[in-house]
């Protein structure tokens, strides 16, 4: 849903930062009633009052409300399952020959699924977590979003497992947590390792490239790309996790051109990784053309989703598809690149798909 910022505090901060009273108010009202239908909080979330932007530039930002209408116009609901069900996604990707993480087990306490590594009893799940050879594991709800309920387990045995962010936890407690959180079950996958070229710069964490893909008559086109960069203390690269960063990418070369962290008054640019101190701006991601080609090939497997957002991990065994979203969050691209997503190509895509809402000239 749209972000919620303390508006009174945001207004005071904007007034102090601009040093010009409320000169930004006209632009503020224009964004609320413009093509992107930004909420009041979203205007401050992107810090659109700061810097030098034309009225046209701010009108190209899209808020969550308009985003939902745009995505629904461009995506056929009959194809949503591949994006909403992670096990179904893996099945489709296997059929398309797209590399995905190795599945250690599928935990489905309701026994509604069939899978070679299916576990339906909590005792069997505990037994799996007892075995040191099962680790490292990344576990996530099959129907989950935003990595809520995800667990990163580095090692275990003798009744315990080491969970990142929580330390040593009894396997019985972990299994009970998964049972509690598993509306559609849990997917347990082998933890991925980063590409060697990113090991030093990223501190050993595995971030993913978020590709925004527009699918049309001429095939899939990558509209925008960002690198989701997690800090070592976070189990996933989702931007809502404190300290995580976004790197704007040159979609042709895979070079990081800008890095940001935070939102609203706390939004700031970085040049170096806060932990490794490696320079991030100017870094060219490895196997970029391989990852881009993999993303476009995978997109062809889902022709009913004409706006797609892909997470592709750059690993020591090459690019790997993690998941796809129908439509996907546009805020990541807007934050990272510092510009609205309504480019001429995005506008043309929306018009081709019958979107009738207001759009920039």
């Amino acid at each position: 849903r749209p972000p919620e910022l303390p508006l009174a505090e945001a207004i005071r901060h904007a007034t102090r930062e601009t040093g010009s009273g409320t000169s930004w108010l006209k632009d503020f009202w224009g964004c609320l009633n413009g093509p992107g239908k930004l909420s009041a909080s979203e205007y401050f979330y992107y810090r659109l009052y700061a810097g030098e932007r034309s009225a046209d530039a701010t009108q190209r930002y899209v808020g969550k409300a308009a985003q939902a209408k745009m995505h629904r116009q461009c995506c056929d609901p009959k194809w949503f399952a591949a994006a909403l069900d992670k096990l179904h996604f893996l099945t489709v990707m296997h059929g398309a020959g797209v590399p995905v993480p190795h599945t250690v087990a599928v935990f489905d306490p309701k026994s509604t699924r069939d899978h070679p590594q299916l576990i339906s009893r909590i005792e069997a799940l505990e037994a799996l977590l007892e075995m040191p050879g099962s680790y490292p594991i990344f576990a996530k709800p099959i129907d989950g979003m935003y990595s809520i309920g995800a667990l990163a387990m580095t090692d275990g045995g003798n009744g315990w497992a080491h969970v990142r962010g929580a330390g040593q936890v009894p396997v019985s407690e972990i299994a009970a947590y998964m049972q509690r959180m598993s509306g559609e079950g849990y997917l347990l996958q082998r933890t991925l390792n980063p590409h060697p070229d990113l090991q030093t710069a990223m501190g050993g964490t595995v971030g993913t490239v978020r590709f925004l893909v527009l699918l049309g008559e001429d095939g899939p086109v990558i509209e925008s790309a960002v690198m989701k960069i997690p800090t070592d203390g976070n189990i996933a690269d989702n931007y809502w996790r404190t300290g995580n960063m976004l790197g704007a990418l040159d979609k042709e070369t895979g070079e990081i051109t800008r890095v940001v962290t935070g939102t609203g008054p706390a939004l700031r640019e970085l040049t170096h990784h806060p932990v490794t101190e490696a320079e991030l701006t100017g870094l060219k991601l490895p196997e970029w053309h391989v990852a881009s080609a993999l993303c476009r090939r995978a997109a062809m497997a889902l022709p009913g989703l004409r706006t797609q957002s892909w997470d592709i991990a750059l690993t020591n065994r090459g690019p790997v598809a993690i998941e796809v979203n129908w439509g996907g969050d546009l805020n990541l691209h807007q934050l990272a690149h510092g510009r609205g997503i309504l480019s001429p190509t995005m506008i043309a895509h929306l018009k081709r798909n019958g979107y009738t809402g207001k759009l920039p000239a």
Side-chain angles (χ1 to χ4, degrees), residues 48-59:
L48 295 183
Y49 54 85
E52 295 184 7
R53 290 185 181 87
S54 66
D56 176 72
T58 56
Q59 294 271 310

Side-chain angles (χ1 to χ4, degrees), residues 12-27:
R12 284 194 297 269
H13 184 91
T15 303
R16 284 197 305 268
E17 186 170 340
T18 58
S20 56
T22 55
S23 61
W24 44 268
L25 269 177
K26 181 179 178 181
D27 186 54

Side-chain angles (χ1 to χ4, degrees), residues 138-153 163 174 177-182 185-187 235-236 238 240-241:
F138 189 83
K140 53 190 177 183
I142 290 174
D143 59 343
M145 296 178 67
Y146 301 111
S147 73
I148 295 171
L151 298 169
M153 295 170 275
V163 180
I174 297 170
Y177 176 83
M178 289 190 194
Q179 186 176 44
R180 212 164 47 241
M181 294 288 289
S182 59
Y186 253 78
L187 184 61
I235 66 163
N238 303 80
W240 65 265
R241 294 183 181 274

Side-chain angles (χ1 to χ4, degrees), residues 1-3 31-40 42 46 61-73 326 328-331 334 342 350 355 357-358:
R1 59 174 181 259
C31 284
L32 266 59
N33 297 291
K37 294 293 183 185
L38 269 64
S39 68
E42 285 172 323
Y46 290 114
Y61 279 78
V62 171
K64 288 275 189 175
Q67 169 185 291
K69 294 178 182 178
M70 292 173 181
H71 289 344
R72 287 199 172 273
Q73 185 62 44
W326 64 273
D329 282 332
L330 302 175
N331 68 313
Q334 297 182 144
L342 290 178
L350 292 169
Y355 181 74
K358 187 193 301 184

Side-chain angles (χ1 to χ4, degrees), residues 57 87 95 110 122 127 139 179 186 202 225 309 349:
L87 192 58
K110 295 187 291 188
I122 194 168
Q179 186 176 44
Y186 253 78
M202 305 291 183
S309 289
H349 172 73

Side-chain angles (χ1 to χ4, degrees), residues 123-170:
E123 294 81 7
L125 178 59
E126 290 182 23
L128 175 76
L129 298 174
E130 286 274 7
M131 296 189 293
S134 298
Y135 297 91
I137 297 174
F138 189 83
K140 53 190 177 183
I142 290 174
D143 59 343
M145 296 178 67
Y146 301 111
S147 73
I148 295 171
L151 298 169
M153 295 170 275
T154 56
D155 58 81
N158 299 317
W160 297 81
H162 186 84
V163 180
R164 284 185 59 188
Q168 295 291 102
V169 181

Side-chain angles (χ1 to χ4, degrees), residues 32-312:
L32 266 59
N33 297 291
K37 294 293 183 185
L38 269 64
S39 68
S41 288
E42 285 172 323
Y43 181 84
F44 296 105
Y45 172 86
Y46 290 114
R47 296 184 75 245
L48 295 183
Y49 54 85
E52 295 184 7
R53 290 185 181 87
S54 66
D56 176 72
T58 56
Q59 294 271 310
R60 293 181 184 273
Y61 279 78
V62 171
K64 288 275 189 175
Q67 169 185 291
K69 294 178 182 178
M70 292 173 181
H71 289 344
R72 287 199 172 273
Q73 185 62 44
C74 296
C75 296
D76 185 342
K78 295 194 294 291
W79 289 83
F80 285 0
L84 299 177
D85 187 293
K86 291 177 172 55
L87 192 58
H88 182 61
F89 167 77
L90 293 181
T91 302
V92 174
M93 290 301 102
H94 278 303
V98 174
V100 293
H102 171 71
T103 299
V104 176
V106 175
F107 175 55
D108 177 18
K110 295 187 291 188
S111 300
T112 56
R113 298 174 181 270
D114 185 24
H115 191 275
Q117 283 80 42
L118 182 69
I119 293 174
S120 58
R121 296 172 57 248
I122 194 168
E123 294 81 7
L125 178 59
E126 290 182 23
L128 175 76
L129 298 174
E130 286 274 7
M131 296 189 293
S134 298
Y135 297 91
I137 297 174
F138 189 83
K140 53 190 177 183
I142 290 174
D143 59 343
M145 296 178 67
Y146 301 111
S147 73
I148 295 171
L151 298 169
M153 295 170 275
T154 56
D155 58 81
N158 299 317
W160 297 81
H162 186 84
V163 180
R164 284 185 59 188
Q168 295 291 102
V169 181
V171 296
S172 58
E173 187 175 322
I174 297 170
Y177 176 83
M178 289 190 194
Q179 186 176 44
R180 212 164 47 241
M181 294 288 289
S182 59
E184 294 294 329
Y186 253 78
L187 184 61
L188 289 79
Q189 297 177 314
R190 184 70 66 209
T191 301
L192 298 171
N193 294 310
H195 190 284
D197 291 356
L198 298 176
Q199 184 82 34
T200 302
M202 305 291 183
T205 61
V206 180
T208 58
V209 176
R210 169 59 64 93
F211 287 101
L212 175 62
V213 179
L214 309 181
L215 195 58
E217 293 180 357
D218 296 328
V221 174
I222 294 173
E223 169 67 13
S224 180
V226 301
M227 180 74 184
K228 298 193 289 181
I229 308 170
T231 54
D232 190 49
N234 288 327
I235 66 163
D237 61 9
N238 303 80
Y239 195 59
W240 65 265
R241 294 183 181 274
T242 303
N244 281 354
M245 296 159 278
L246 289 172
L249 295 174
D250 182 315
K251 62 184 179 181
E252 302 299 332
T253 66
E255 179 181 342
I256 298 177
T257 59
R258 180 176 184 257
V259 179
V260 298
T261 189
T263 61
L267 179 65
R268 59 193 177 95
E269 289 190 37
L270 304 173
T271 57
H272 291 69
H273 195 288
V275 177
T276 68
E277 299 183 352
E279 188 169 6
L280 296 177
T281 52
L283 176 67
K284 287 190 176 181
L285 300 184
E287 300 189 86
W288 178 251
H289 295 295
V290 178
S292 301
L294 171 68
C295 180
R296 288 192 294 267
R297 179 159 60 90
M300 293 290 283
L302 304 169
L305 304 181
R306 293 179 292 280
T307 304
Q308 306 177 9
S309 289
W310 285 85
D311 284 340
I312 306 290

